[in-house]
Structures are given as C-alpha cells and as structure tokens.
Amino acid sequence: MFDAMMGGISGLVAGFVHLHWSNVVMMCIGGVLLYLGIKKDFEPLLLVPIGFGCIIVNIPLADLMEKEGFLRIIYDAGVITELFPLLIFVGIGAMTDFRPVLENPYTFLLGAAGQFGIFLTLLLALALGFPYKDAVTIGIIGACDGPTVIYVASQYAQHLLGPVSVAAYSYMSLVPVLQPPIMRVLTTQKERVTVMKTHQKTVSKTTAMLFPIIITIIGGLIAPKGLPLLATIMLGNLMKESGAVSRLTKASENEISNIVTLLLGISIGATMSGPVFVKPTTIVILCLGLVAICLDTVCGVLFGKVLYYVTGGKVNPLIGAAGISAFPMSARVVQKEGQKYNKKNYLLMHAMGANAGGQVGSVMAAAVMLSVLKGMGII
Amino acid sequence: MWAEATKVASIGFSVVFITLLLLAISVKVMSFFCKKIQSRGGK
C-alpha cells in the first residue's frame, strides 16, 4: 500500500525530477518571446506561438516532439515538407503591392544591394568554421524574411531551424531600432534632405498582372531550385491583381495565412528544446544574424549613395535601407527618418518600391543560394 | 577554404544583382509594350 502510494507520488514529481537546467532557461526565453509579442507588439502573430511552443516542448516527459507527439506531427507535415513557408508565401504575395516597383523598376537594384549582407555573413560563418550548409542557412537570416529563412533551413540545416527562425523574426521586428543609426552614420545632412520627385505613373492592370508571370518565368529559369519560393509569392500576387479569384485571394490573405502561421509558429517553438538550443553555437548564430541584417542596411544605403551621385542628387540614399525584405516596416522607417530631416520629404512610395524589390531580392538570393551552390558542386 | 568561400559569396551576389537587373529591364520592356498596346486600343 505504502509502496503504491510512493510510486504514485513519484509519478507526480517525475516531471520536476527530469527538468534539466537548460529546459528552465528555454522556458524563460519562451516567456521573453511571449512578453515581446504580447506587451511590446513585436511580431505577435509569430512570437506568441513560438514562445508558447518553446515553453511546452521544454516540459519533460510530455514527449511532444517524439514520434507520436502532436508537435512532431505538425512539424513533419509542414516544416520538413517545406509546405508551411510556401503557403505563407501565397498569402504574402496576395498582400504585397508591387506597383511601386513597377513605377520605378530601378528600385529592384536597391533590393539587390540589400541582400549583400547575406553573402558577407556567409563568408563570416565559413570563417568561423561552420560547414557550408550551416553557413548558407545562417547567411540567409540577412534575407530578413521569416518564410525564406525557414524554407532554406528546412532544406539545408534542420538542426538550425530554431535559432535561425527566432533570429530572423526577432531582428525583423527590431528593424525600426536597428536601421536608423546606420542610416544616420552613412549619410550626410545634404543627402538626407534630398527631396525625391513623385511621378504619379499609372500602372495598368495588364502590366500588374503580367509582372508575376514574367518574374516567375525569368526567375525560375535563372534559379530553378528557388522556384517554389518565387512561384508561390507570385501566384498570390497574380490572384490579387487579376481580381478573378477574390475568394482564393481573401482565403490566402486571411484564413490560410492565419492557420499556417499558427502551425508554423508552434512548430518552430517546438525545435527550441533546452539541450538542443542552449549551446554557444546558438549565441554565435544570433550574433551573425544581427550582423547580416546590419550589413544589408549598410550595403543598401551605400548603393543609395551611388545612385545619389550617379543621378546628380535626385535619389535620396535613405531609400536604400528599404532594400531589405522587412515589408513594409523598413519603408516606413525610411519615410520617418526622411521626414525627420526635411518635413517636405515624402519618401514612402520610393521606399516601398525598394522594399518590394527587396522582397523579390530576398527570394532570389535564397533561390540563387540553392541553385548556384548546387551548380558549383558545393552542396 | 577562404578562396572558395570568397568565390561562392562573389558569384552568389553577382547572380542576384544580375538577376534583379534583368528583372528591372524586363519590367521596363513589359511596361513599354503594355502602354503601346493600350494606346493602340484607345485609338
């Protein structure tokens, strides 16, 4: 009788007995993510499920990520198969307006410059001794685009999925804090006050509809390995621009995006189990991710400066900072910074062009990583 | 190692830049033809 009672009690405390210190650390990190999402409004749609997933996966003996665990089933169904990021991309495409980039196609180049940090970080990661596939995955944090990062990580380095996703989403939400000091340091007062003319060019419906088709064909031919990323974002955009399938567009923007975001968030949180996550490597990855996003901004602004001099002072270099993929957050940051120095300056539409270019640029950078490295026989 | 890493990074970035340049040119050409077709339709 006594033994049975003791057995029952030991069953009740087994969870506490098996609690490793790294599980406690991760529960605290999960709590911080929840705090940032709920109280500070930093990417709450993702940080809340990620934070909660992180807490529950660190409760011992629940076996949520074991073979039959519900988190393992969701993870295998959507992350391993790369379905979740692709479904989210259909929603992003349906929500993104590419008209600013159609009005000023040169802003595509700012979107390219904004991806330079990815490749510099790839170099840094290799220098620090990361294997090629891990280095590529770390570098892609610089894409500043959660689904792209998850897609590349699930192809190349599934063991890094947790740290790189958390880094990508956290730094995306910190764009308004990270970018302005870099923009100020790299530009002069004269450059910052540059007023850019707003040409209200009209983009016809045909042009807007042909855009996703042309981009998919050309981009797909150049980097076929990245076609799933490019095709899904462009499919979403084609549905939106055609207006023929408004039910599908609305479903992609709302229901599908919401459900997949929830499942994706909780699966990412599920990869953050203490013994796997609490390592010095994770800190290095988080630091490299920060470097990647800062370098993207540096290169974007420097390319903006090049355009400023090439055009004889017609382009405000600040818009280069919007060449990253954090859409539309970085465009808003540019607008705010521009107005700080010149109240008559309206950079939003130009910055939105660079930002939309950055959206395509980040997808292309991932596609190039997948195709070029394969073509070079490295991966 | 460094030589290969630099090669990968430089080739990768060049391909991204050239691709986006190509896309920018394609968009410009596409917009030109769309305008041309529309103006013909208007007449």
Side-chain angles (χ1 to χ4, degrees), chain A residues 102 105 108-109 112 116 119 122-123 126-127 132 204 207 210-211 214-215 218 222 361 364-365 368 372-373 376 378, chain B residues 1-2 4-9 11-13 15-17 19-24 26-28 30-31 34 38:
Chain A
L102 285 168
F108 257 129
L109 299 180
F116 196 55
F119 298 96
L122 165 70
L123 261 179
L126 286 171
Y132 258 113
S204 69
T207 313
L210 282 174
F211 174 77
I214 302 269
I215 297 287
I218 297 176
I222 294 171
M364 282 315 302
V368 162
V372 170
L373 296 185
M376 289 172 81
I378 288 166
Chain B
M1 179 72 175
W2 267 104
E4 196 176 49
T6 314
K7 198 169 77 180
V8 169
I11 290 178
F13 183 69
V15 174
V16 171
F17 203 85
T19 306
L20 289 181
L21 184 65
L22 272 175
L23 294 182
S26 318
V27 166
K28 203 83 184 158
M30 181 185 75
S31 303
C34 283
Q38 268 181 333

Side-chain angles (χ1 to χ4, degrees), chain A residues 28-187:
Chain A
C28 295
I29 291 176
V32 171
L33 295 178
L34 286 177
Y35 174 78
L36 291 175
I38 296 166
K39 277 282 179 192
K40 297 285 175 186
D41 206 28
F42 285 175
E43 297 283 338
L45 291 176
L46 272 147
L47 289 193
V48 171
I50 290 178
F52 199 76
C54 174
I55 290 174
I56 59 174
V57 83
N58 282 289
I59 295 174
L61 308 179
D63 295 338
L64 300 180
M65 277 301 267
E66 293 308 311
K67 204 181 166 201
E68 301 292 320
F70 89 98
L71 289 180
R72 168 62 64 187
I73 293 168
I74 299 172
Y75 180 82
D76 286 349
V79 179
I80 297 287
T81 58
E82 297 149 15
L83 261 182
F84 287 166
L86 296 179
L87 285 172
I88 286 192
F89 260 143
V90 179
I92 292 175
M95 287 181 236
T96 307
D97 185 4
F98 286 108
R99 280 165 201 263
V101 88
L102 285 168
E103 285 170 18
N104 299 302
Y106 77 89
T107 51
F108 257 129
L109 299 180
L110 290 165
Q115 312 308 318
F116 196 55
I118 294 176
F119 298 96
L120 286 178
T121 311
L122 165 70
L123 261 179
L124 272 176
L126 286 171
L128 288 172
F130 282 96
Y132 258 113
K133 288 186 178 181
D134 290 10
V136 167
T137 309
I138 294 165
I140 214 76
I141 299 173
C144 215
D145 187 352
T148 305
V149 170
I150 293 165
Y151 185 84
V152 174
S154 54
Q155 285 227 342
Y156 285 165
Q158 284 171 11
H159 60 285
L160 296 182
L161 201 58
V164 294
S165 313
V166 169
Y169 282 112
S170 310
Y171 296 142
M172 262 166 72
S173 62
L174 288 174
V175 158
V177 182
L178 296 173
Q179 285 201 313
I182 300 171
M183 290 154 80
R184 274 175 236 145
V185 167
L186 293 176
T187 51

Side-chain angles (χ1 to χ4, degrees), chain A residues 224-235:
Chain A
K225 287 277 164 204
L227 186 60
L229 287 172
L230 200 58
T232 44
I233 196 168
M234 290 302 155
L235 170 66

Side-chain angles (χ1 to χ4, degrees), chain A residues 209-281:
Chain A
M209 269 198 313
L210 282 174
F211 174 77
I213 301 169
I214 302 269
I215 297 287
T216 307
I217 295 171
I218 297 176
L221 286 171
I222 294 171
K225 287 277 164 204
L227 186 60
L229 287 172
L230 200 58
T232 44
I233 196 168
M234 290 302 155
L235 170 66
N237 192 251
L238 177 64
M239 293 197 304
K240 170 195 154 82
E241 294 298 345
S242 71
V245 282
S246 55
R247 276 171 53 190
L248 296 184
T249 312
K250 277 183 193 153
S252 307
E253 279 179 81
N254 301 299
E255 292 86 356
I256 296 175
S257 280
N258 291 342
I259 293 168
V260 177
T261 302
L262 171 64
L263 297 177
L264 183 65
I266 202 161
S267 324
I268 298 300
T271 61
M272 295 165 72
S273 116
V276 180
F277 202 89
V278 183
K279 284 181 192 164
T281 321

